[in-house]
Amino acid sequence: MSSFRKALKSQQRNHHERSQPGFRKTVGLLEKKKDYKLRAVDYHKKQNTLSALRKKALEKNPDEFYFKMISSKLEDGVHVMKKTEEEVTEEQKNVMRTQDMRYVEMKRVAEAKKIERLKGELHLLDAENKQKNKHTFFVDSNKKVETFNLASHLGTHPKLVDRVYNRPTLQTLETKSIKGSVKPNIINKLAKQRKHQYKILSQRIDREKKMFVISQKIQTRKDLQDKNKKVKVKKETPDRAAIYKFESKRKR
């Protein structure tokens, strides 16, 4: 019987809804059942949302507090979360996701060794970030202050007063010959090379600091996998890993 019913259904014509009559084409498309169903579902969804909001407003506690009240603000009538300080930069995320802590520590130690070697070669002469030294001279009277001559007091040439290193006296200049280049163009070339070396040194110092911060953050994430109780003391920042205080537990 069931097979006979299936055979009859196979020969039936599919039902099609009538199309828009020609004289009503100016009115628009004729709404089909599927169009009505979509419109009805959307309407009921909006009505349910409005009724839920009315119920929530009626049952709201005026003394209730949410943390979003202080962590969000209104912009053009819309609640927007306040921007917090970025804890981890994109560069740090990529390195922590792809590299191991031993690799990061190895690169940091290599950078530290290169920094020490560069510092030994340059001695931080005329460095821009170096703290300026002060040299105070004491005299007996105000008259000597007015007539004080720094070049004669140091016994050197006036053009060499501003130099903080390699400042020979007049006696040295008279008794000994000057070693090295004295031509202005060569001196300027050497100064540019020295400035370039200082730039490389500064970049390596910054890179070493970044590697140190990344290794600290990786180590902190490994320590957090421990099941001991912990309390966050300081938040994580781009320049520092988060600081946690772990509960002291006696080992058996």
Side-chain angles (χ1 to χ4, degrees):
M1 192 69 184
S2 62
S3 60
F4 182 70
R5 192 182 301 115
K6 287 180 182 178
L8 286 175
K9 283 186 177 181
S10 64
Q11 295 177 1
Q12 288 178 353
R13 285 184 61 185
N14 293 328
H15 174 71
H16 295 286
E17 290 187 80
R18 68 188 182 91
S19 60
Q20 178 79 307
F23 67 90
R24 288 184 58 85
K25 284 185 178 179
T26 56
V27 180
L29 290 173
L30 179 65
E31 188 182 51
K32 304 294 192 298
K33 184 177 179 181
K34 60 178 182 179
D35 302 323
Y36 159 75
K37 187 167 183 176
L38 289 173
R39 185 164 55 83
V41 168
D42 182 60
Y43 172 78
H44 288 298
K45 184 179 178 182
K46 290 177 181 176
Q47 290 298 317
N48 293 336
T49 304
L50 288 172
S51 61
L53 289 173
R54 288 193 194 98
K55 184 179 178 181
K56 190 174 182 180
L58 289 172
E59 296 177 353
K60 182 181 178 183
N61 183 3
D63 299 327
E64 199 165 1
F65 173 77
Y66 297 96
F67 281 102
K68 283 192 176 180
M69 294 178 181
I70 58 175
S71 61
S72 62
K73 59 181 180 179
L74 276 175
E75 287 186 4
D76 298 331
V78 181
H79 283 277
V80 180
M81 296 298 294
K82 292 180 181 177
K83 292 182 180 179
T84 57
E85 185 181 358
E86 189 179 8
E87 296 180 355
V88 185
T89 60
E90 288 297 326
E91 182 183 0
Q92 292 175 352
K93 285 180 183 177
N94 292 333
V95 175
M96 287 190 291
R97 194 184 301 115
T98 57
Q99 304 298 342
D100 188 15
M101 182 181 173
R102 286 178 293 180
Y103 172 79
V104 176
E105 192 64 21
M106 180 192 71
K107 297 294 288 183
R108 187 191 69 80
V109 172
E111 288 293 337
K113 289 182 179 178
K114 291 177 182 178
I115 289 168
E116 290 298 324
R117 187 168 67 250
L118 279 173
K119 283 183 178 179
E121 293 174 358
L122 298 172
H123 304 291
L124 296 179
L125 303 176
D126 289 343
E128 294 180 359
N129 297 328
K130 184 183 176 184
Q131 184 178 1
K132 300 295 183 181
N133 296 328
K134 293 183 179 180
H135 193 167
T136 307
F137 296 96
F138 296 92
V139 293
D140 298 331
S141 62
N142 293 332
K143 187 177 180 181
K144 288 186 178 180
V145 173
E146 296 174 358
T147 60
F148 183 78
N149 190 354
L150 184 59
S152 61
H153 184 79
L154 295 174
T156 185
H157 195 273
K159 292 183 178 180
L160 302 176
V161 170
D162 295 333
R163 299 184 68 174
V164 295
Y165 66 97
N166 193 14
R167 186 172 55 199
T169 60
L170 291 172
Q171 184 180 0
T172 305
L173 292 172
E174 291 174 357
T175 56
K176 295 183 179 180
S177 59
I178 298 175
K179 295 182 179 180
S181 178
V182 293
K183 294 181 179 179
N185 57 345
I186 298 178
I187 292 173
N188 293 333
K189 185 179 179 180
L190 293 174
K192 288 181 180 179
Q193 291 177 357
R194 185 169 64 249
K195 188 177 180 180
H196 179 65
Q197 291 294 321
Y198 282 131
K199 186 178 180 181
I200 294 174
L201 176 61
S202 176
Q203 291 174 352
R204 290 195 180 278
I205 291 173
D206 293 339
R207 198 177 299 125
E208 193 267 339
K209 287 180 180 177
K210 289 179 181 178
M211 290 290 180
F212 179 71
V213 172
I214 291 171
S215 64
Q216 279 189 326
K217 290 186 177 182
I218 295 174
Q219 185 62 45
T220 304
R221 279 159 174 72
K222 285 187 176 181
D223 294 339
L224 289 176
Q225 295 176 358
D226 194 356
K227 294 183 179 179
N228 292 343
K229 292 182 180 179
K230 45 200 168 284
V231 179
K232 184 183 282 188
V233 180
K234 289 186 179 180
K235 286 185 177 181
E236 189 179 42
T237 63
D239 301 325
R240 184 193 64 209
I243 300 175
Y244 288 86
K245 186 177 181 181
F246 289 84
E247 182 185 16
S248 58
K249 191 175 181 180
R250 182 180 176 184
K251 293 185 179 180
R252 295 180 181 178

